[in-house]
Amino acid sequence: MSSPGTATAVERRTQPAAPAILRAVNLRRTYADGQVTALNDVSLEVHPGEYVAIMGRSGSGKSTLLNLLGALDRPDQGEIYFEGEALSKQRNLDSFRAQRIGFVFQSFYLLPTLTAIENVQIPMFEGPLNPTQRADRARELLKIVNLEHRLNHLPMELSVGERQRVAIARALANEPAMLLADEPTGNLDSTNEAEVLDLFDRLHRERNMTLVVITHSQDVADRAERTVHLRDGRIVADVVAHHTPNSSRS
Amino acid sequence: MSFFSIPLKSLLRRRTRSALTILGLGIALAAVISLVGISQGFERSFVRMYQRRGVDLLVQRSGGGNRKDKTLSVKLDPKLRAIKGVRDVDGGLMDMIAMPEFDQFAIILNGLPGNSPELTRANVIDGRRLEPTDERSLMLGKVLALNIGAKVGDDVKIYEQPYKVVGIYESPTVFENGGAIILLEDLQRLTDLNGKVTGFAVSIDHPGNEAEVARIAREIQALEPHLEAMRPDKLVAEVQEVKAAKATAWITSAIALVIGAIGMLNTMVMSVFERTREIGTLRAIGWRKSRVMRLILLEATFLSISGAVAGAIAAVGITKIMSSLPLTNGYIGSEIAPAVFVQGFVIALLVGFFGSLYPAWWGASLSPIEALRRK
């Protein structure tokens, strides 16, 4: 049997011509003073406008990889290049996350005291917009996620699907280069899941948004153009779908 | 949405806890403002009393402390008058008496010579002034008269001796309103201090000339080795009772403040711990540590300001009540100097800042991943 991560185990995808927006090289991340290896020798490229799903069982290293790709954590070994620049050389990762990455979490993590429109403005405090511009932009983003009628509702007054859409609008606040979503439909029923996935499709198709979605759901992964499979901290498959995201559904 | 509205909404969300913190800090601040205000008012009232009398220098026995006899001989009077530049000298004896039957325990009894300018200046609102021939008579301050229910013509017992009320006076200073005046000879007799005074109030020709004042003070002190001549404000600040009142006020205030600060720390720690995930989210989406710290410190600042406002209002109420109670209205005024309120606000902000510094630092220093993992 071939070992995971070797050339024979990984079905390599055809490389798009555009330079990678994100390039991870030989990432290794261990915990408990090196006793637990969460990621081992993981290399990955994501190109502008790609829709990539990262799949794997619990403990496969998906979240660790997402944390590294999103500059929430640093690898023990290896390097991540974003738009050609090494993250290890970035002096201010907070600013990098605020400006270049949009995060969508499984549990939404909206601030419960703020309304939808206010929650969407939160990342914009790290940007150049004044309060009026922030409100205008938040309104615009909530319109994109079809929540223009729920602007002044608190999270507790929204359905879980609506909350996740507010979180997606928040992730788009600073016009990031890439959306990183960690089990974005994990807390949603099938109807809300479909709504959120349709929204991802739309962002990808209409805005050429680069999407990296961590999931253990095949249904979610099926929407992506490409699925990277992780097992025991290694990439064991990197598969390009034989359909476009939209053609898979009719 | 402004940045300020985020911590404000967070506080409104936890109304009960915010209200309790404001209450705790408010009580602490009320203690500080009222106690310090009262002690400073105590001092200010004395100073004002001397200023109103046109006293430029007060002469008393130096050293203070626990010396039993702190009096001076009336024979100093002509020697003081003989100093060049001295306009007037008014010797008086001061005693503190109690009337327990009326719950009056700190009445200032002034013994003044029958020809004292202070008697001439007294604002008599009922009856008449004390005359040099008025033996075993007295004038009551307006508040004292009210507290003991005495009217002109009544007899009031001082050291078990009956004294006839000949007049009731009103003064802008709380001590005088809560006190009484008898003739110097009467008080000397009552206290077995014949020929003695507590001190001399000296008026001088050119009080604005500091060099002149200093020269006269030096000449007075040169008269006898134990003499001390000081400006009233400096002397009052040195009075043991005033010092003790101020020290007690600050010690009590410090205890109240420590409790207030612990309350603030507790609230902010709980607030930050409860919102670890929210803070993790803010950090994950790119908020800088400094912005997270500012958010938490701002929340504490809002609490502090609210606590200070509540404390200031409560302090005004407390002093108003205390200045109207018969037990205390003889020596507690209702006035609090604006500077004391400013001090209170500064203290509240400092308590808020230091009480929230650790939680703010802790919250801001959390790694986003760790914060998001917490339940």
Side-chain angles (χ1 to χ4, degrees):
Chain A
M1 194 177 109
S2 304
S3 63
T6 61
T8 51
V10 178
E11 185 184 335
R12 294 288 181 199
R13 66 188 295 276
T14 309
Q15 298 292 322
I21 188 172
L22 183 132
R23 190 159 63 91
V25 182
N26 305 124
L27 299 183
R28 180 182 167 82
R29 183 72 173 99
T30 59
Y31 296 109
D33 291 332
Q35 301 298 305
V36 178
T37 303
L39 277 186
N40 194 6
D41 197 25
V42 167
S43 295
L44 177 73
E45 283 190 4
V46 177
H47 292 263
E50 262 196 305
Y51 186 169
V52 182
I54 296 176
M55 279 195 81
R57 289 180 184 168
S58 183
S60 61
K62 305 189 296 288
S63 293
T64 303
L65 180 59
L66 180 113
N67 290 339
L68 294 177
L69 299 182
L72 290 169
D73 196 8
R74 289 180 187 275
D76 297 325
Q77 280 174 30
E79 184 60 273
I80 297 166
Y81 298 89
F82 196 91
E83 294 174 328
E85 288 200 26
L87 290 189
S88 63
K89 302 283 190 297
Q90 285 270 355
R91 289 182 62 193
N92 189 344
L93 285 178
D94 297 335
S95 171
F96 166 76
R97 286 197 303 274
Q99 302 304 328
R100 308 306 294 148
I101 306 284
F103 285 98
V104 179
F105 305 99
Q106 179 177 356
S107 301
F108 331 129
Y109 296 146
L110 299 176
L111 300 196
T113 50
L114 303 183
T115 60
I117 193 169
E118 290 168 338
N119 262 292
V120 175
Q121 291 174 60
I122 287 288
M124 299 182 208
F125 282 96
E126 291 295 338
L129 303 183
N130 66 34
T132 313
Q133 291 169 323
R134 286 200 291 263
D136 288 346
R137 172 134 183 85
R139 204 170 285 117
E140 185 188 315
L141 290 166
L142 284 167
K143 195 174 175 188
I144 291 171
V145 299
N146 297 326
L147 284 175
E148 63 268 39
H149 59 297
R150 309 289 264 169
L151 300 180
N152 297 312
H153 285 72
L154 291 169
M156 61 179 293
E157 297 165 343
L158 300 171
S159 72
V160 284
E162 286 173 328
R163 285 180 216 175
Q164 191 60 300
R165 282 190 277 150
V166 173
I168 292 168
R170 179 183 65 185
L172 298 171
N174 290 333
E175 299 186 74
M178 182 168 78
L179 271 194
L180 282 181
D182 186 5
E183 301 280 8
T185 59
N187 283 348
L188 305 182
D189 59 25
S190 55
T191 311
N192 281 310
E193 176 180 292
E195 275 185 19
V196 166
L197 293 177
D198 286 350
L199 178 58
F200 280 167
D201 288 348
R202 197 148 53 83
L203 290 172
H204 175 59
R205 191 179 62 241
E206 293 173 6
R207 299 179 159 249
N208 199 32
M209 177 62 71
T210 309
L211 286 156
V212 176
V213 179
I214 299 271
T215 184
H216 61 267
S217 157
Q218 190 59 54
D219 289 345
V220 175
D222 284 347
R223 297 284 192 115
E225 297 170 321
R226 175 184 163 204
T227 304
V228 175
H229 292 266
L230 279 177
R231 189 190 301 153
D232 299 332
R234 289 174 183 271
I235 293 177
V236 292
D238 188 344
V239 184
V240 180
H242 297 295
H243 59 78
T244 62
N246 295 316
S247 68
S248 65
R249 291 161 289 111
S250 58
Chain B
M1 177 180 63
S2 74
F3 183 68
F4 289 90
S5 63
I6 304 174
L8 210 54
K9 288 186 178 204
S10 169
L11 290 174
L12 290 174
R13 170 179 150 200
R14 300 167 179 87
R15 281 198 185 92
T16 308
R17 188 194 298 161
S18 301
L20 286 173
T21 310
I22 291 168
L23 183 70
L25 193 61
I27 290 171
L29 259 294
V32 174
I33 295 172
S34 55
L35 288 173
V36 173
I38 286 168
S39 72
Q40 288 192 0
F42 193 65
E43 183 179 359
R44 204 175 47 248
S45 191
F46 259 120
V47 172
R48 208 182 282 168
M49 182 171 79
Y50 290 119
Q51 282 172 343
R52 201 177 55 79
R53 289 179 187 177
V55 176
D56 302 312
L57 283 171
L58 282 171
V59 181
Q60 63 168 27
R61 184 176 284 277
S62 62
N66 290 324
R67 192 180 191 279
K68 199 167 182 181
D69 180 12
K70 295 175 187 170
T71 58
L72 298 170
S73 168
V74 289
K75 288 176 185 166
L76 265 172
D77 188 294
K79 293 181 189 172
L80 292 169
R81 287 178 192 276
I83 293 172
K84 190 184 163 201
V86 169
R87 194 177 67 230
D88 199 6
V89 176
D90 195 12
L93 190 59
M94 192 185 280
D95 192 21
M96 189 81 86
I97 60 165
M99 295 181 185
E101 64 274 30
F102 299 109
D103 285 339
Q104 299 295 302
F105 299 97
I107 302 166
I108 292 176
L109 182 61
N110 265 308
L112 298 174
N115 60 353
S116 166
E118 184 51 27
L119 279 177
T120 331
R121 272 196 293 263
N123 176 25
V124 178
I125 56 171
D126 196 10
R128 60 172 178 80
R129 287 185 177 79
L130 268 177
E131 299 292 338
T133 52
D134 279 332
E135 276 191 38
R136 290 191 179 262
S137 301
L138 87 169
M139 286 166 70
L140 292 175
K142 180 183 154 187
V143 172
L144 179 61
L146 203 68
N147 287 343
I148 65 174
K151 301 185 298 291
V152 173
D154 288 352
D155 278 344
V156 172
K157 278 193 175 173
I158 296 175
Y159 292 123
E160 301 304 321
Q161 304 289 317
Y163 276 73
K164 188 165 291 298
V165 179
V166 296
I168 293 169
Y169 63 89
E170 186 174 25
S171 161
T173 56
V174 70
F175 295 116
E176 289 183 308
N177 279 333
I181 301 172
I182 62 174
L183 289 177
L184 176 61
E185 295 75 16
D186 276 348
L187 188 53
Q188 286 171 332
R189 197 166 44 246
L190 276 171
T191 53
D192 293 330
L193 291 168
N194 287 325
K196 301 283 189 178
V197 290
T198 311
F200 294 93
V202 176
S203 308
I204 60 180
D205 290 330
H206 305 291
N209 183 342
E210 284 302 326
E212 172 81 342
V213 176
R215 177 193 60 82
I216 293 171
R218 275 197 307 275
E219 285 192 31
I220 291 171
Q221 284 167 186
L223 288 174
E224 287 180 18
H226 56 267
L227 282 185
E228 191 171 55
M230 293 171 89
R231 286 280 204 187
D233 54 344
K234 290 202 176 121
L235 188 132
V236 169
E238 291 298 314
V239 171
Q240 293 298 321
E241 286 78 3
V242 171
K243 279 185 175 175
K246 282 163 81 174
T248 309
W250 276 113
I251 291 167
T252 315
S253 300
I255 294 167
L257 281 173
V258 167
I259 295 167
I262 290 170
M264 175 67 80
L265 180 68
N266 177 59
T267 298
M268 296 313 296
V269 165
M270 290 301 292
S271 171
V272 170
F273 280 12
E274 262 182 17
R275 290 183 298 158
T276 305
R277 275 191 173 179
E278 283 177 31
I279 291 168
T281 307
L282 295 173
R283 295 279 295 119
I285 63 179
W287 271 33
R288 286 164 286 160
K289 284 183 182 180
S290 59
R291 189 178 297 278
V292 172
M293 273 196 85
R294 258 190 291 159
L295 179 76
I296 299 166
L297 291 174
L298 204 55
E299 213 174 289
T301 305
F302 286 143
L303 284 174
S304 302
I305 292 171
S306 309
V309 171
I313 293 169
V316 170
I318 289 168
T319 46
K320 283 252 185 261
I321 291 168
M322 289 185 78
S323 65
S324 65
L325 290 176
L327 191 65
T328 48
N329 62 2
Y331 45 94
I332 290 179
S334 61
E335 219 178 288
I336 300 174
V340 180
F341 287 108
V342 174
Q343 278 176 3
F345 270 77
V346 170
I347 288 169
L349 289 175
L350 290 176
V351 164
F353 179 74
F354 287 108
S356 60
L357 201 56
Y358 168 71
W361 170 82
W362 184 87
S365 303
L366 277 173
S367 93
I369 302 172
E370 194 188 332
L372 290 173
R373 264 196 217 122
R374 287 187 183 232
K375 299 268 177 187

